[in-house]
Amino acid sequence: MKWQRKITGALARHAGLRIERVNKSGKPAEKPKKPTDVPFRPPADPQVDRLLTAPVFVLSPVRSGSTLLRSMLNAHPDLHAPHELHVRRLGVEFGTGLAEKAMAALGHDRADLEHLLWDRVLHRELVRAGKRFIVDKTPANAFAYERIAACWPDARYVFLLRHPASIATSWHEASPDKRTPAEAAADALRYMKAVERARAALPGLTVRYEDLTAEPEKTLRGICEFLDLPWAPEMLSYGTPDVVTKGLGDWKDKIRSGQVQPGRDLPRPEEIPGALTGMCRTWGYLP
């Protein structure tokens, strides 16, 4: 209740005390684990446990052009690439110990049930679209690449890179009141490192935002070849994205235009923040 939370907060601030709910054993109740903290494993029987076939995940840092790429992929007749889905944040809780025991008797732990939920949500979206394969481009998926790979053993991955300094600049410009340029660089670097860990661990195709905007047909043909799909020229003129909602991707006029726009000029070496020089070298933007 609201009044209880107020009292608890006041005690914590002024007296250093904290009230915690206890279970029947007299011990403080454990806080629910986040979905990313739960032990996980591959499906026991992928043919039975999964409805999706070969989902596609675009793993990229924030502000790397993933909304542009997903819009272009969505124009392919075989690919459904909706807005960022964040399904890995959907969790399952056991309401009672009996429910947990009942699921265990069926061979399901909590992560198994969450994977069933994630797969069902994505499959429903794919069926509604009437296409063959779903594409999820949520940037935060890079932090959970191991779990995604366990959930869908047949998943395919496209790694989208962009000049680290351009990412940081765009991330700052997206919310200049929330983060300074230095803070934007540090925060964006977390995503870059996560993508690089995923890129080192998973098979997939690496593409660059700069190539996507400079040579869109060549880049998209490469993606189609990687996904074993026929070339679809309509990807080059993808129209207006159906979802350009703030918080679910980039909604700037560049994306709304439905046409590929030139990328910004690459920063000069002296303009690159020191924190990003290492990643610039790793990704080949600096010698």
Side-chain angles (χ1 to χ4, degrees):
M1 298 176 64
K2 187 179 295 186
W3 65 268
Q4 291 173 324
R5 290 196 297 270
K6 288 183 177 180
I7 292 175
T8 300
L11 287 172
R13 289 193 302 272
H14 301 296
L17 300 176
R18 182 176 181 83
I19 299 175
E20 292 186 345
R21 181 177 295 177
V22 298
N23 54 30
K24 292 182 179 179
S25 67
K27 297 179 180 180
E30 293 184 2
K31 294 182 179 180
K33 291 183 177 180
K34 296 180 180 179
T36 52
D37 297 333
V38 179
F40 54 87
R41 58 193 177 187
D45 186 348
Q47 295 297 321
V48 174
D49 295 344
R50 295 294 177 267
L51 297 175
L52 283 180
T53 299
V56 180
F57 291 91
V58 175
L59 298 183
S60 68
V62 292
R63 313 303 294 184
S64 58
S66 60
T67 299
L68 171 64
L69 178 57
R70 80 94 178 159
S71 299
M72 301 171 88
L73 295 178
N74 193 52
H76 194 288
D78 289 330
L79 297 175
H80 178 48
H83 60 77
E84 296 172 12
L85 297 173
H86 297 272
V87 291
R88 77 179 186 91
R89 292 300 188 182
L90 301 179
V92 169
E93 296 291 342
F94 296 112
T96 65
L98 286 175
E100 185 172 4
K101 290 179 180 178
M103 292 299 100
L106 296 178
H108 304 311
D109 61 18
R110 176 178 165 184
D112 294 335
L113 296 173
E114 289 175 346
H115 291 173
L116 290 172
L117 171 62
W118 300 354
D119 184 73
R120 180 65 180 90
V121 170
L122 293 186
H123 183 262
R124 179 179 184 273
E125 178 63 22
L126 181 62
V127 170
R128 292 177 67 192
K131 294 189 176 184
R132 293 178 59 198
F133 303 108
I134 196 160
V135 180
D136 185 3
K137 69 91 171 177
T138 308
N141 281 343
F143 294 105
Y145 71 88
E146 292 174 309
R147 186 160 182 189
I148 289 173
C151 181
W152 293 283
D154 63 342
R156 296 169 291 174
Y157 305 94
V158 175
F159 304 102
L160 177 62
L161 309 184
R162 186 183 184 185
H163 194 296
S166 297
I167 292 175
T169 298
S170 181
W171 192 222
H172 167 65
E173 292 174 350
S175 300
D177 56 326
K178 290 184 179 180
R179 55 186 78 92
T180 65
E183 291 170 340
D187 190 39
L189 184 59
R190 294 190 307 112
Y191 286 87
M192 298 178 213
K193 289 181 176 179
V195 170
E196 187 57 25
R197 288 192 294 269
R199 200 162 70 105
L202 300 173
L205 176 69
T206 297
V207 299
R208 297 178 184 272
Y209 169 77
E210 293 83 5
D211 294 335
L212 181 64
T213 54
E215 298 181 290
E217 180 172 345
K218 179 181 178 180
T219 304
L220 291 173
R221 281 184 178 273
I223 295 174
C224 288
E225 182 178 355
F226 169 70
L227 298 177
D228 196 23
L229 295 174
W231 166 242
E234 54 265 43
M235 299 170 73
L236 294 173
S237 183
Y238 55 86
T240 302
D242 54 353
V243 178
V244 287
T245 305
K246 185 176 181 180
L248 296 177
D250 191 347
W251 61 99
K252 288 184 177 180
D253 290 341
K254 274 190 175 183
I255 301 297
R256 294 177 187 270
S257 71
Q259 299 288 334
V260 179
Q261 304 292 317
R264 70 173 72 207
D265 293 337
L266 293 183
R268 298 187 299 274
E270 62 271 18
E271 297 174 327
I272 299 173
L276 300 180
T277 55
M279 190 58 68
C280 287
R281 292 192 180 96
T282 298
W283 285 358
Y285 289 98
L286 281 178

